[in-house]
Amino acid sequence: MPSSTSTGVPEKSTSRFPSWATAFGPQIVAGLVLGVIIGLVARAMPDAAGGNVNWLVGTVQTIGSSYVKLLTVAVIPLVFTAIVSSIANLRQVANAARLAVQTLLWFAITAFIAVIIGIIVGLITDPGSRTDVAVEAAKEPKSSGSWWAFITGLVPNNFLGLGAKTSVTEGVATTSLSFNVLQLLVIAGAIGIAALKIGPKAAPFLEFNASLLAIVQKVLWWIIRLAPIGTAALIANAVATYGWDAIGSLGVFTAAIYIGLAIVFFVVYPILIAAHGLSVRSFFSGVWPATQLGFVSRSSIGTLPLTERVTERNLGVPREYASFAVPLGATTKMDGCAAIYPAIAAIFVAGFYDVPLTFTDYLLIVVVSVIGSAATAGTTGATVMLTLTLSTLGLPLAGVGLLLAGEPIVDMGRTAVNVTGQALVPVIVAKREGILDKERFDAPRNGDPFAEELVDA
């Protein structure tokens, strides 16, 4: 069994393997480098017969998508058991209601800062008038945001918020399942509160839930240990499939998005961390595994298990609070998708169609970005968020189609910032409320956020 300090920070263990061979961080970096090399090789290979992708592209696509599916499958039991457990354990945390309010408040504060930066970058770069994209590319989006989506999204469709969609292609029917994390939060929250109200009679259920949570976390660790392989496959697929062609005529727009993301990531977040007396280096070294996976997977939900894990294990946020704040952030806290992107994209569409925006319009962009991510939480996505912004401003929804060419490349950076912000807010709130494990936050990473499980293995 691993030894640990009194604060729960695992001590450095001895191993027959060198640290670079067992450490999680270096393995992820190696996966990124290997993925780029494989992607370049796959991109240089000729397509298969019939215009299909070659065998190498097909292989990395399958491995990458399979890994994201594994992470997504783990989300349902993790969120349910963690939320029920966190509510049961919140009795041990003072000012639980205050924690929830502070979390939502800091969601709004960081979103406000991000959207202001997005507007400034959009006005300076003026991407709509500096593009070669054709008018014919404009298409009405298949789905759009609605201010009623948040209310309807709160009402569960079934016990686990699952949904099924059947599509028919060439006479073959295919059914895919999806789940609504927001509805899952509501269900788990209601059950957790009910268990507290029942009292002693619910003790067996809470003990079973705690045991199930421990089992889920162990299985999840097995999945996360495959992250270097998944990372290599995902980045290889991105390089082979998109390359630089995806940017094309949207070069200025893409650059504007990444400039906005970089300012938030490298300037705003460090300032907020330093302003609360915390080490910027410790924060980024702690959250980095989740940031990297978010970048290559392009999925906040798929990265949620790892985000929650590093927030608790690396950054010192109590499990009772982290298991509530991180899943909530994965559905409603998106500085990249819900703030920077819709602000710059709305300015792009307005400039492309030569529609002047007034001061009131910019205020509307701010309002939509601050509270709009909650309004689209049932169907969260940058495209849905953009349609909500455009419809609020009265801009053509067909403008969404203009930006689809660069969507994959832009989405990688957006998701990385989303995931980082979803870990940032719990850290800030925990520090302000005096419940942050400062020693764990500042502890050396040694490249591995999961030393306890690694020693057990």
Side-chain angles (χ1 to χ4, degrees), residues 74-83 213 216-217 220 304-306 308:
V75 168
I76 296 179
L78 174 67
V79 170
F80 181 85
T81 56
I83 290 293
L213 175 59
V216 169
Q217 288 178 326
L220 179 60
L304 189 156
L306 183 55
E308 182 175 329

Side-chain angles (χ1 to χ4, degrees), residues 140-234:
E140 291 284 346
K142 296 181 180 179
S143 60
S144 59
S146 168
W147 286 102
W148 293 104
F150 177 62
I151 298 176
T152 58
L154 287 172
V155 181
N157 295 320
N158 48 62
F159 179 68
L160 290 177
L162 290 171
K165 182 179 180 180
T166 302
S167 59
V168 179
T169 304
E170 297 181 355
V172 178
T174 303
T175 301
S176 59
L177 296 177
S178 61
F179 63 93
N180 188 313
V181 177
L182 184 65
Q183 294 179 4
L184 191 60
L185 287 170
V186 173
I187 295 168
I191 292 177
I193 294 173
L196 284 182
K197 295 294 184 180
I198 291 175
K201 291 184 179 180
F205 167 74
L206 292 178
E207 291 178 2
F208 168 76
N209 181 80
S211 299
L212 181 59
L213 175 59
I215 294 172
V216 169
Q217 288 178 326
K218 176 58 69 174
V219 174
L220 179 60
W221 178 74
W222 295 338
I223 297 174
I224 289 176
R225 290 303 300 176
L226 298 173
I229 299 175
T231 297
L234 288 165

Side-chain angles (χ1 to χ4, degrees), residues 62-85:
T62 302
I63 295 175
S65 62
S66 297
Y67 183 70
V68 174
K69 287 178 182 178
L70 282 176
L71 284 171
T72 305
V73 166
V75 168
I76 296 179
L78 174 67
V79 170
F80 181 85
T81 56
I83 290 293
V84 172
S85 180

Side-chain angles (χ1 to χ4, degrees), residues 400-412:
V400 176
L402 300 170
L403 306 174
L404 292 181
E407 176 68 13
I409 299 298
V410 169
D411 195 32
M412 298 173 78

Side-chain angles (χ1 to χ4, degrees), residues 265-345:
F265 190 87
F266 292 110
V267 179
V268 175
Y269 288 171
I271 288 176
L272 291 176
I273 287 294
H276 286 85
L278 297 173
S279 167
V280 175
R281 181 176 181 177
S282 294
F283 171 75
F284 279 108
S285 66
V287 77
W288 195 247
T291 301
Q292 290 179 123
L293 185 58
F295 182 82
V296 297
S297 69
R298 297 170 50 203
S299 172
S300 292
I301 296 299
T303 313
L304 189 156
L306 183 55
T307 308
E308 182 175 329
R309 201 171 188 83
V310 300
T311 302
E312 174 195 338
R313 297 293 182 89
N314 283 6
L315 302 178
V317 178
R319 175 179 297 179
E320 297 80 9
Y321 173 51
S323 58
F324 159 77
V326 177
L328 180 64
T331 58
T332 61
K333 169 62 181 160
M334 301 185 187
D335 291 339
C337 289
I340 297 173
Y341 178 76
I344 297 177

